[in-house]
Amino acid sequence: MTQDLDVAKKRLAVAHRVTVLTGAGVSAESGVPTFRGAEGLWRNFRPEELATPQAFANDPKLVWDWYDWRRGLIAPLNPNPGHVAIAKMEGQFPEFLLVTQNVDGLHRLAGNKKIAELHGNIWFTRCTDEGTIAENRQVPMPEIPPRCRCGALLRPHIVWFGESLDYDVFQSVLSACRACDVLVVAGTSSVVHPAASLAGMAKDSGAFVIEVNPEETPITDFVDVHLRGKSGEMLPLLI
Ligand code: BV8
């Protein structure tokens, strides 16, 4: 492990362009349940059953009950040392982008500004009729499902399964992954696409890829260094 860590630190020390890709594992040490871990269940539903346009069309109240529960869970939580390390990284490299699959907002709270939120943000709603996006931090939601002033249902401003990612956001993420000298992939099971394909794209474009995860994932075989451990412990050692 120490050899791997030294190799990873040496590559970062000479890097100019660094991209970091994070998943639910980075928020785990703050107390946010991961998606595919044992605690990912809610009333025996799997996230894939609720985080879809169909589930919302069928039962907007049920889907909003789930998000309201998650918002209530996340609201008092703080960034952990892994988030803080990534926030410090932003100021260390001439070119930096944080790409996160997480919707909890903890990276912003930790101080990152150059962020691409691939799957949206749980603290924002979107009108299903007008498309207007608004920040809403009410916990609990006073009315479920919430409605826009225009009368239409509000939905979480989140990318659900079967929905396309924001085109412009994803294009900027693609160019960052193709141009970076080092890609750090932390806390993701690398099963959800298209985020899961970013490490391979970066690698094919010549990036040095560092994975931080206590477990192996589908990308572990091809990354340059796999730091097997928790992001809250490994990331501070990296910077
Ligand atoms: C799309 C918002 C085009 C919801 C989320 C078959 C093959 C390929 C693709 C597909 C396929 N079938 C369907 C698809 C497409 C689908 C997909 O990928 N499905 C998967 C399940 C197979 N993708 C989509 O639908 C995407 N859109 O493809 O658009 C399109 C358009 C129209 C029609 C068709 C296609 C949209 C995907 C976005 C879904 N929304 N989130 C919400 O949050 O409410 S995804 C959801 O999963 C979260 O965002 C989460 O971040 C993400 C990925 O999960 P992880 O972050 O990796 O979390 P997970 O729990 O899985 O893993 C945690 C990891 O952390 C583990 O590895 C663990 O070991 C590690 N860990 C634990 N503790 C720690 C730690 N690591 C470090 N430190 C620790 N302490």
Side-chain angles (χ1 to χ4, degrees):
M1 170 59 75
T2 44
Q3 195 207 353
D4 276 346
L5 189 58
D6 289 345
V7 167
K9 285 171 71 169
K10 282 197 179 78
R11 289 304 289 250
L12 276 171
V14 295
H16 286 81
R17 291 167 299 231
V18 171
T19 302
V20 177
L21 169 64
T22 62
V26 166
S27 292
E29 289 157 88
S30 294
V32 184
T34 61
F35 277 78
R36 290 160 191 85
E39 75 290 7
L41 284 174
W42 174 77
R43 292 189 202 167
N44 292 324
F45 287 103
R46 297 244 28 98
E48 287 82 1
E49 296 173 83
L50 295 170
T52 70
Q54 294 80 8
F56 186 73
N58 293 341
D59 193 342
K61 182 181 180 316
L62 175 71
V63 173
W64 263 112
D65 278 340
W66 178 48
Y67 280 98
D68 192 47
W69 171 76
R70 289 169 65 190
R71 287 158 54 107
L73 194 78
I74 293 166
L77 302 182
N78 294 305
N80 64 62
H83 292 111
V84 173
I86 295 169
K88 282 187 189 145
M89 286 176 80
E90 180 161 321
Q92 286 182 347
F93 301 99
E95 282 183 45
F96 178 90
L97 181 67
L98 167 58
V99 182
T100 188
Q101 300 171 86
N102 300 340
V103 300
D104 55 37
L106 288 176
H107 283 304
R108 280 190 196 288
L109 213 52
N112 278 106
K113 302 224 177 341
K114 297 175 183 172
I115 303 182
E117 290 176 321
L118 278 188
H119 298 157
N121 187 309
I122 203 165
W123 299 113
F124 285 77
T125 61
R126 187 166 83 234
C127 175
T128 53
D129 185 39
E130 302 158 324
T132 38
I133 298 162
E135 186 169 2
N136 178 311
R137 291 194 176 263
Q138 293 174 300
V139 172
M141 274 278 186
E143 179 199 17
I144 289 186
R147 289 192 175 274
C148 177
R149 279 195 298 272
C150 76
L153 276 174
L154 290 177
R155 60 167 281 175
H157 181 48
I158 280 195
V159 180
W160 283 329
F161 289 99
E163 293 187 318
S164 300
L165 279 61
D166 177 284
Y167 179 80
D168 296 335
V169 168
F170 197 60
Q171 289 311 308
S172 64
V173 164
L174 283 180
S175 48
C177 288
R178 287 187 180 127
C180 67
D181 306 313
V182 176
L183 171 71
V184 179
V185 183
T188 180
S189 58
S190 290
V191 297
V192 173
H193 290 266
S197 57
L198 295 174
M201 279 182 206
K203 179 85 185 149
D204 293 347
S205 306
F208 186 86
V209 183
I210 301 164
E211 182 181 28
V212 179
N213 197 317
E215 294 170 11
E216 298 209 344
T217 70
I219 70 168
T220 305
D221 283 347
F222 67 73
V223 300
D224 295 285
V225 165
H226 176 214
L227 299 177
R228 185 183 282 272
K230 295 182 174 183
S231 47
E233 292 161 15
M234 287 292 149
L235 290 173
L237 296 176
L238 257 189
I239 56 168

